[in-house]
Amino acid sequence: MDRRITEFIAGLRAAGVRISVAESADAMRAIEQAGIADRNIFRLALQTALIKERQDQAIFNDLFPLYFGKDSPPALQPAGGGQLSPEEQQQLLQQLQQLLAQLPPGPLRQLFQSMVSGQPLSNQQIRAMLANVSPPHLSDPRYRDWMTRQALRELQMNRLQQALRQLLERLREQGMREEALRAIEQAARANLQALEQQIGQQVAQQMQEQVQGQGPRQGRGRPTERELLDLPLEQLDESLLPEMRTLVRKLAARLRTRLALRQRRGKTGTLDAKATIRVNQRFGGVPMLVRHRKRHLKPKLVILCDRSVSTQHVMSCMLLMIYALHDQVSRTRSFAFIDRLYDMSHYFAESRPEQAIAQVLREIRPTRSYSTDLGNALAEFCRDQLHLIDRRTTVIVLGDGRNNENDPNLPAFEQIRRRARRIVWFATEERWKWGVYDPGSLSSDIYKYAPMCDAMHEVTTLRQLAHAIDRLFLHP
């Protein structure tokens, strides 16, 4: 227990609570006197010894169950809520076993059995399941719900609902009465909710371990440059951000060198007949001096970025790279959208790109889940910012096209397309997810916008992002 209390104190310190060595010793002495038999007294003793500021109370409340509630999984309802007759219970057990045999071995089978039978899973079993999915890559407690949804999605929790419907249908075909079926469904759904909460607690525990440098990612060592290039940006660990920023700057330098080389080669390209005739008038029209075309128009860029939690790493890398190439661009205006449009350009006009991006992430952020509304942001853009678009402007839209069932506002998108030189979409999801309904992030409208775009690029890794930006300057 002493070790667990020490870990708890370290967790509080990592979350920003100031605790001295003397106060840690006070906490140990308080526990010696209070004991651990009564959970409430144990909690109050720790709270009294460790918490001095009112604002630290919320952190204590969040972390205490993570460290001292690990071995007590939530209570689940028995099969059918205890309202089934012995014959109905036997019938349910037989059908459940048949259905379990059809499910793939692994977490899904364990979760479904627990959900229907009411047999609880220990936290160690839940942790073993989470070892097979991507560990949380954010440690900020504000993103706990989002990290939990990501874990539930990877565990395929939505398939449990389908399996439950299948089980109920089989029991109905065998003549089970409707009251018993309703009882089975209600108990199973309540158990599913309890299991999701249990998984959420373990995800929060993993996030806290990340803060203390004990998470599953810490034991893997630092990735190489090649691994960073192909690492999914959605799963980028905060501890890797410095290496990633360095790599982005290197990629931007390579892109700038490549663009300069293209421009030099372009100067010796097409013969300019009019200029050649004009400069050789003094030689009686004999072509003594040859002139080549030197046409290089720097593009204008207007960037619309989805400022969701899931896209913030892609957005940061893209903005860092684009603004590092400022000498290759005539003008850049950048906007973020959530449920409305935010102008980010003044941040970059006043600060260096790294500082500007940090300000954007700090000051522009979603206040609730499922708030993205590109349709409304497009309407605001057409109303206030459409004058920024002309025939030299390339419009870049960065996002996954998930509008949370809001109107995609295709007429506004078409209005921008008619004025712009071209529209390029940088998709932050893998191509196989485009247009696919997902319970965690709802429907995708990306294929409604795609016919109006001149190019669609998947940019889930840094390598893909650099390639997409390089293509922007290939035909400015």
Side-chain angles (χ1 to χ4, degrees):
M1 182 53 77
D2 287 354
R3 180 180 176 183
R4 197 63 185 160
I5 294 173
T6 305
E7 291 174 352
F8 177 57
I9 293 172
L12 289 172
R13 284 175 175 154
V17 180
R18 291 185 297 111
I19 299 174
S20 67
V21 176
E23 288 166 339
S24 302
D26 288 344
M28 292 294 186
R29 283 194 288 270
I31 297 304
E32 286 177 6
Q33 298 298 319
I36 59 174
D38 190 317
R39 181 181 170 84
N40 287 331
I41 294 177
F42 172 70
R43 177 191 175 104
L44 285 173
L46 280 180
Q47 181 181 320
T48 305
L50 300 175
I51 300 301
K52 307 175 292 295
E53 306 290 341
R54 178 177 297 178
Q55 64 268 22
D56 295 337
Q57 183 64 51
I59 299 174
F60 181 92
N61 293 340
D62 286 342
L63 296 187
F64 183 84
L66 300 181
Y67 285 86
F68 303 106
K70 289 184 67 177
D71 299 324
S72 55
L76 301 183
Q77 294 189 24
Q83 303 177 31
L84 303 181
S85 65
E87 294 76 15
E88 289 170 335
Q89 286 185 352
Q90 185 63 30
Q91 197 177 359
L92 171 63
L93 184 60
Q94 289 176 355
Q95 289 301 322
L96 177 61
Q97 292 302 327
Q98 290 179 15
L99 201 54
L100 287 174
Q102 297 174 8
L103 292 175
L108 197 63
R109 183 185 291 183
Q110 285 180 279
L111 288 167
F112 186 64
Q113 184 172 17
S114 174
M115 170 186 165
V116 177
S117 66
Q119 182 179 354
L121 294 173
S122 69
N123 288 326
Q124 287 74 19
Q125 288 175 295
I126 296 292
R127 292 295 289 250
M129 293 178 188
L130 292 175
N132 297 318
V133 304
S134 304
H137 56 279
L138 297 174
S139 54
D140 192 326
R142 290 176 301 173
Y143 302 131
R144 172 181 167 177
D145 290 345
W146 186 60
M147 291 291 97
T148 300
R149 287 201 299 274
Q150 187 181 56
L152 295 176
R153 201 160 48 236
E154 293 195 38
L155 286 172
Q156 300 180 305
M157 296 293 281
N158 57 327
R159 291 186 62 186
L160 297 181
Q161 301 272 8
Q162 299 172 6
L164 177 62
R165 286 194 293 272
Q166 194 175 351
L167 175 67
L168 294 173
E169 191 58 35
R170 289 187 183 185
L171 292 171
R172 185 175 284 109
E173 289 174 357
Q174 290 190 345
M176 182 175 283
R177 58 195 176 93
E178 287 298 322
E179 292 79 6
L181 291 174
R182 278 197 294 274
I184 292 171
E185 184 176 8
Q186 287 174 1
R189 292 193 186 284
N191 290 342
L192 176 60
Q193 192 174 3
L195 288 169
E196 289 178 345
Q197 290 175 356
Q198 189 180 5
I199 291 171
Q201 290 173 356
Q202 296 309 309
V203 170
Q205 179 73 27
Q206 285 186 327
M207 294 172 68
Q208 188 59 33
E209 290 170 356
Q210 294 277 96
V211 174
Q212 298 175 41
Q214 302 169 356
R217 287 179 183 273
Q218 272 73 19
R220 298 180 183 176
R222 309 306 291 179
T224 63
E225 183 174 308
R226 183 184 293 273
E227 289 171 338
L228 280 178
L229 280 171
D230 294 318
L231 182 70
L233 290 169
E234 189 187 28
Q235 300 174 12
L236 182 64
D237 193 312
E238 289 175 330
S239 64
L240 298 176
L241 288 180
E243 286 107 316
M244 190 59 85
R245 291 194 190 102
T246 303
L247 185 55
V248 169
R249 284 192 287 271
K250 287 173 66 176
L251 289 174
R254 288 177 199 166
L255 279 175
R256 186 184 295 108
T257 303
R258 192 179 305 165
L259 292 174
L261 183 59
R262 280 183 198 152
Q263 290 171 18
R264 282 201 297 273
R265 288 174 179 167
K267 290 178 181 178
T268 59
T270 310
L271 175 68
D272 190 339
K274 289 182 181 178
T276 301
I277 293 171
R278 194 180 309 117
V279 79
N280 286 289
Q281 289 293 325
R282 55 182 162 162
F283 303 120
V286 179
M288 303 293 290
L289 301 173
V290 179
R291 291 287 181 267
H292 293 86
R293 293 183 187 278
K294 296 180 180 178
R295 186 181 181 189
H296 176 67
L297 293 177
K298 293 182 179 180
K300 297 178 181 177
L301 297 181
V302 168
I303 305 171
L304 303 176
C305 294
D306 182 352
R307 174 54 184 103
S308 300
V309 177
S310 59
T311 61
Q312 67 179 17
H313 290 320
V314 188
M315 183 185 81
S316 301
C317 292
M318 185 192 71
L319 291 175
L320 194 58
M321 207 175 290
I322 290 287
Y323 278 95
L325 297 170
H326 64 91
D327 55 334
Q328 304 294 327
V329 180
S330 172
R331 185 185 65 194
T332 302
R333 292 295 302 270
S334 50
F335 299 87
F337 63 87
I338 307 174
D339 53 347
R340 56 178 293 265
L341 195 69
Y342 299 86
D343 190 351
M344 298 189 289
S345 304
H346 63 278
Y347 293 103
F348 292 92
E350 298 168 358
S351 308
R352 296 181 60 81
E354 292 89 346
Q355 298 165 337
I357 290 169
Q359 276 186 288
V360 166
L361 296 179
R362 190 168 55 249
E363 298 179 12
I364 303 175
R365 60 187 188 197
T367 55
R368 58 186 172 86
S369 303
Y370 308 111
S371 55
T372 302
D373 186 354
L374 176 56
N376 186 54
L378 289 173
E380 289 189 17
F381 184 88
C382 289
R383 187 189 64 208
D384 302 329
Q385 309 291 347
L386 198 60
H387 63 279
L388 298 175
I389 309 287
D390 60 25
R391 300 308 301 172
R392 286 178 55 193
T393 306
T394 295
V395 178
I396 303 172
V397 182
L398 176 86
D400 52 17
R402 297 192 182 277
N403 264 327
N404 300 308
E405 313 299 341
N406 294 306
D407 178 13
N409 202 350
L410 299 180
F413 200 81
E414 171 65 20
Q415 193 177 357
I416 296 171
R417 188 196 68 83
R418 284 201 302 268
R419 291 177 65 97
R421 179 178 178 81
R422 58 180 173 160
I423 295 185
V424 181
W425 192 291
F426 284 5
T428 55
E429 285 186 333
E430 294 93 338
R431 190 173 290 270
W432 68 269
K433 291 183 181 175
W434 296 4
V436 175
Y437 182 87
D438 183 273
S441 49
L442 306 179
S443 61
S444 168
D445 293 325
I446 195 167
Y447 280 124
K448 295 179 182 174
Y449 297 113
M452 291 181 275
C453 295
D454 296 275
M456 302 284 293
H457 297 289
E458 177 185 328
V459 292
T460 55
T461 67
L462 198 53
R463 188 188 300 278
Q464 293 172 336
L465 181 62
H467 177 72
I469 292 176
D470 187 32
R471 301 286 297 178
L472 280 181
F473 295 94
L474 198 57
H475 302 291

